[in-house]
């Protein structure tokens, strides 16, 4: 199919889109085609309204807002956790809003990593998001163990994806913990979490996932898969705003475990203000909270999660898959041939694809800059990847076609040559 044919197809798909009404609920930066929702999701009217409401209760109630605001701030972490649980296939008391992703990784990895005897190793992978690896290495060092020896990073065969069989081969009787991403942040590969959890559990190894790149884009069944713990952030597909408060999940069979990084907000709620020096942890995932929840950073999620509740995660995933499929077809056809030369690093099978598509091109850095100059916003990840996230709530197929047109023009006119080859602080 030629690029022009994709335009007609895009129009048809947009007209038939069951989620098309959601787009007008979001603020898109004026004049832009925004395709970076996997890095920072857009503001919705609902999120702005819920943030405004929290500001209003701070203004009028001040400290009384902890109990008298609607919803009360004191219970907000549990309430939002319960709502988010529905998106990941968990019970309401297994998810809580807390801190930030990296802090939650520290809190849970240090809880579940219990080296003993020959079981000392943590299995992760070499394509992991850096902060996850930093946290794992520091957990090892805290116990006086050398990461070079005790952190096993499963290798990728093609530099972009992982083979689950290679991961499972790394599970053995020296493994104390497995911690993996749900979706690889560069290629967009969705790992088979069900299989990995089954294989880890069959060997008695606790397994956790960083779902930052899948929460709000992919359907999860954390309980059914038997995952031990998980973390994810609030600001990517969940549209909670920059640095939004994050979430953590702990499977209920671990509700009795001692939190490694205890803090007073992990207390049983009705006795927290007894101010006892003996920590009495909450009976559920709430015990892994540490500090006062960042209410202002959580407030947009009150509104944002309502959109997921209305639309249903299944519909969001279905559209996301359809959009990424459309984009891959568009690139494979008119943009793969010379002189364009774009290829795709993302797996083709629906079951192995997260919410974004990774376009590979030797000039990816400068092409991403040229796109931005044309007000098309993807992002760049070294060495050669342009990530494009068509978000079910606010992107259209027509925008993906627009992206294709811009890519064609940028290469036709060698427009990217006008840009620097040095990367900016945030790309
Ligand atoms: C976005 C992301 C994070 C972010 O961590 P913060 O602590 O919120 O900065 C962590 N891990 C993964 C896999 C991510 O995609």
């Amino acid at each position: 199919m030629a690029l022009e044919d994709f335009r007609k197809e895009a129009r048809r798909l947009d007209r038939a889109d069951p989620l098309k009404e959601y787009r007008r609920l979001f603020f898109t930066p004026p004049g832009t085609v925004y395709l970076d929702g996997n890095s920072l999701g857009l503001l919705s009217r609902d999120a702005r309204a819920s943030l405004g409401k929290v500001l209003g209760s701070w203004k009028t109630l001040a400290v009384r807002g902890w109990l008298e605001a609607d919803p009360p701030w004191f219970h907000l972490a549990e309430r939002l956790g319960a709502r988010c649980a529905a998106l990941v296939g968990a019970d309401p008391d297994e998810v809580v809003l807390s801190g930030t992703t990296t802090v939650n990784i520290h809190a849970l990895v240090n809880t579940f990593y219990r080296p003993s005897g020959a079981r000392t190793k943590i299995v992760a992978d070499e394509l992991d998001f850096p902060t996850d690896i930093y946290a794992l290495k520091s957990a090892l060092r805290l116990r006086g163990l050398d990461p070079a020896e005790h952190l096993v990073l499963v290798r990728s065969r093609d530099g972009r994806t992982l083979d689950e069989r290679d991961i499972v081969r790394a599970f053995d009787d020296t493994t104390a913990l497995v911690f993996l991403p749900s979706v690889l942040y560069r290629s967009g590969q969705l790992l088979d979490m069900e299989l990995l959890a089954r294989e880890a559990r069959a060997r008695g190894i606790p397994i956790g996932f960083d779902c930052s790149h899948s929460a709000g884009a992919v359907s999860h069944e954390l309980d059914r898969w038997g995952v031990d713990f998980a973390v994810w952030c609030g600001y990517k597909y969940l549209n909670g705003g920059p640095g939004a408060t994050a979430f953590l999940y702990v499977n209920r069979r671990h509700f009795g475990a001692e939190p490694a990084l205890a803090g007073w907000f992990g207390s049983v709620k009705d006795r927290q203000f007894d101010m006892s020096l003996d920590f009495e942890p909450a009976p559920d995932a709430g015990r892994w909270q540490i500090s006062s929840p960042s209410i202002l950073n959580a407030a947009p999620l009150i509104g944002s999660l309502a959109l997921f509740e209305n639309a249903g995660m299944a519909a969001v995933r279905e559209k996301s898959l359809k959009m990424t499929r459309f984009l891959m077809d568009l690139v494979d056809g008119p943009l793969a041939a010379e002189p364009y030369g774009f290829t795709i690093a993302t797996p083709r099978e629906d079951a192995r694809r997260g919410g974004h598509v990774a376009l590979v091109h030797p000039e990816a850095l400068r092409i991403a800059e040229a796109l931005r100059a044309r007000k098309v916003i993807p992002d760049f990840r070294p060495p050669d990847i342009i990530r494009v996230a068509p978000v079910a709530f606010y992107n259209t197929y027509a925008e993906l076609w627009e992206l294709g047109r811009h890519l064609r023009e940028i290469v036709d006119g060698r427009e990217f040559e006008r840009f620097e080859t040095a990367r900016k602080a945030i790309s």
Side-chain angles (χ1 to χ4, degrees), residues 24-215:
R24 62 180 178 79
L25 305 179
F26 284 85
F27 299 95
T28 302
T32 65
V33 173
Y34 190 79
L35 295 167
D36 205 11
N38 59 322
S39 190
L40 179 65
L42 293 181
L43 174 66
S44 62
R45 292 179 194 202
D46 299 69
R48 184 178 67 173
S50 58
L51 175 59
K53 198 171 159 197
V54 169
L55 284 172
S57 45
W58 177 20
K59 185 172 150 190
T60 56
L61 296 170
V63 74
R64 283 162 48 214
W66 285 103
L67 290 177
E68 293 174 31
D70 172 28
W73 307 334
F74 190 53
H75 300 282
L76 188 63
E78 289 77 10
R79 291 217 186 166
L80 287 179
R83 290 174 62 193
C84 204
L87 298 188
V88 294
D91 288 339
D93 54 353
E94 288 176 317
V95 177
V96 71
L97 168 112
S98 184
T100 60
T101 306
T102 308
V103 171
N104 291 340
I105 295 172
H106 283 290
L108 294 179
V109 162
N110 282 291
T111 299
F112 284 90
Y113 176 54
R114 300 188 193 108
S116 86
R119 274 196 196 269
T120 59
K121 292 185 181 164
I122 301 180
V123 171
D125 70 87
E126 65 167 355
L127 300 179
D128 232 336
F129 195 85
T131 203
D132 298 52
I133 297 297
Y134 304 160
L136 296 177
K137 286 184 176 173
S138 77
L140 289 166
R141 285 196 203 97
L142 271 172
R143 289 168 171 82
L145 298 172
D146 181 2
E149 197 185 325
H150 299 275
L151 180 61
V152 178
L153 296 182
V154 175
R155 302 231 159 254
S156 162
R157 289 166 186 246
D158 60 2
R160 306 200 189 276
T161 58
L162 295 168
D163 186 325
E164 282 86 353
R165 286 166 300 186
D166 292 337
I167 301 176
V168 172
R169 261 194 289 278
F171 301 171
D172 62 24
D173 42 14
T174 66
T175 313
L177 180 75
V178 177
F179 187 62
L180 295 165
S182 52
V183 169
L184 300 185
Y185 76 101
R186 270 178 298 207
S187 66
Q189 179 191 3
L190 171 62
L191 292 179
D192 187 339
M193 288 182 268
E194 180 173 11
L195 174 133
L196 293 166
R198 186 168 62 235
E199 296 292 338
R201 295 202 60 214
R203 293 164 178 78
I205 307 167
I207 183 167
F209 286 98
D210 185 333
C211 298
S212 292
H213 263 88
S214 57

Side-chain angles (χ1 to χ4, degrees), residues 309-330:
E309 286 153 359
N310 289 336
M313 197 55 231
V316 170
R317 172 64 169 159
E318 189 183 328
K319 179 174 172 192
S320 163
L321 280 173
K322 226 168 158 172
M323 293 188 105
T324 48
R325 161 68 49 209
F326 177 84
L327 174 61
M328 292 192 301
D329 288 346
L330 188 152

